[in-house]
Amino acid sequence: MNGRVVAGFVPLVDCAVLVVARELGFAAREDIRLDLLKEPSWASLRDHLNLGYVDCAHALAPLPIASALGVGHVRVDCAVPLVLGRGGNAITVARHLFDDMCAAAGAPLRAEPRSTGNALAKVVRQRRAPLTLGMVFPFSTHNFDLRYWLAAAGVHPDQDVRLVAIPPPLMVESLRAGHIDGFCVGEPWNSLAVSEGIGRIVATKSQLLPHGVEKVLAAPPALVGDAATLGALLRALAAAAAWADDRANSAALARMLAAPEYLDVPAELIQDALLGRLALGDGERLDDPDFLYFGRHGGGAPRAEEALWLYAQMVRWGHLPASEASRRTATRVFRPDLYRTHLGAPPAAVVPEPFDGVPFDPENVDAYLQGLTIHTPFVAAPRMENG
Amino acid sequence: VSPKPLRVLIIDKNAVRAAILEEGLRDSSAGGPPLVVNRILHEPLDLVQRIAEIDPDVILIDLENPSRDTLEQMFQVSRLAKRPIAMFVDRSDSATVQAAIDAGVSAYVVDGLRRERVKSILDVTISRFRAFDRLQRELSEAKSALEDRKVVEQAKTILMKQKRIDEEQAYALLRRAAMNQNRKIADLARSLIAAAMLLDAEEPE
């Protein structure tokens, strides 16, 4: 690749590792010229990645798995040698819905997934018209986070509510206009809804899936096959992640990301997300240093069981039928071996307790799926007619 | 029995380009099976509802449009009777796919549509997107040519005044200097105007 790497990214706080690697010379130090291509949508990023217009990309964790399985698009064997971000999402509901939820619960609610989920379930059962909730993309952690929260409270995401994908910059406006009643999105969009007084954060991803994988580096076969370039890129990104994780750098990082060529939003909102100090509404404030992070706690290393978790979500929500072959393909997308080769062995991962109380056994995904009452069966789409 | 009209929806923030595409699609379908074309120009917050109302068989959307993610989700919902898929899923004609991306457009097509019908719509779309691009380029070139002519006129006037020569001589002087310095006449003219302004500012009359 002649030392030049073009990476696609979507302007979100967790594109930080790529931005830092470029802006602070971590890539240059490894003799890599890292050029970043800002993408207007996840669909566009996926097209450019799958058709070879970029060398790698900042991707939603389920996206390379969907590509490897040929779901929703052409089949491309992308590998994930590095995790670029963990956590960072939250679920926000409209003020009027939050009031209804508190009334249903019979008590003021705090941002805590179990109690707010149960309150939402009561509201859903009382209402005649279904609620509409926003997320960002079918193959997104946001979609799965939201569904996980709903289903744990007994709300069927495909029967009891309506889910729509909305570009993050339009999320707050859609909530204000009443087109949606809530959403699951990354920062700074939850904070923006709270600061404008139209939304209330009711759960964070760090509560639903602590340390949960969020964005990954998706590497197509050409990059994986070029060990020298991949190694240099991974070293540069790991160094950038260490810098970005240092809380002492949060102000500088927030300013860097706030620039028009990246996020183009106020630096203060970005810094709140980096420090895990979100205003949740009603004076409540999150204080969780691990709300969003990049590489610490060994978080940069992809883990096979996380790929299996994402595969399980795809099967659970009807993206594809369960099969031994698909399960194996999904597992192979996450490549801890590539991480180890270039960056060494990561420290042991923190495996948190599931918030819904249903243990996930990566060795037995089928049994896990069979134990879940709320799920959506796969329906095959008819193929295009030849003629 | 006349065939059911094919519903095409164009989603493009660029109204001129959308109009050019609509015209192209209508021209190409003249005498053929009927075509109903709808356009969505801005980024509506109720896009999902609008699409459900229009109920299109083919959606043509510019690649830069963030609403593509909304479409992708709509089409993953398996209860939809009509379920369009991204054109890339059927990669039988990779040259068309490549050409569409290069032209900056993406398509979603309801399954079951006849392939040659889709192909002809895509071909028209790609050629109209390209034509629009060319038009934009020509416009910006024409604009800069006009600018160039203006600065050369201005530089000639300065030379005529300072050196007391006629227009033809002034132009010859400019052209020779540009050739010697291996620069465009307009660029040299801009430098000359800038220098003249500087000299005027330093020597008030």
Side-chain angles (χ1 to χ4, degrees), chain A residues 16-18 20-21 24 26 82-84 234-250 253 293-300 339 343:
Chain A
V17 171
L18 285 168
V20 168
L24 297 185
F26 291 106
L82 186 74
V83 173
L84 294 177
L234 292 183
R235 285 191 298 276
L237 296 180
W243 186 91
D245 270 333
D246 187 341
R247 293 171 78 81
N249 297 327
S250 67
L253 176 55
Y293 64 92
F294 307 106
R296 65 172 171 256
H297 311 309
Y339 181 96
L343 299 172

Side-chain angles (χ1 to χ4, degrees), chain A residues 40-44 46-47 51 53 73-74 135 137-138 158 165 167 170 174 179 319 379 382 385-387, chain B residues 43 45-46 64 66 68-70 72-73 76 78-79 83 88-89 91 98 101-102 111-116:
Chain A
S41 67
W42 289 110
S44 173
R46 178 209 50 205
D47 292 348
L51 296 169
Y53 283 65
H73 205 246
V74 292
M135 44 81 176
F137 195 60
D158 290 314
L170 293 186
S174 299
H179 290 294
H319 285 160
V379 179
E385 190 184 311
N386 283 297
Chain B
E43 219 169 83
L45 294 174
D46 59 346
E64 294 296 307
R68 283 190 63 206
D69 287 351
T70 306
E72 302 257 341
Q73 160 63 13
Q76 273 300 316
S78 38
R79 320 173 271 207
R83 201 168 159 190
F88 310 106
V89 174
R91 219 180 179 181
Q98 203 79 12
I101 287 223
D102 285 335
D111 270 335
L113 269 188
R114 293 179 72 84
R115 185 167 289 162
E116 73 260 26

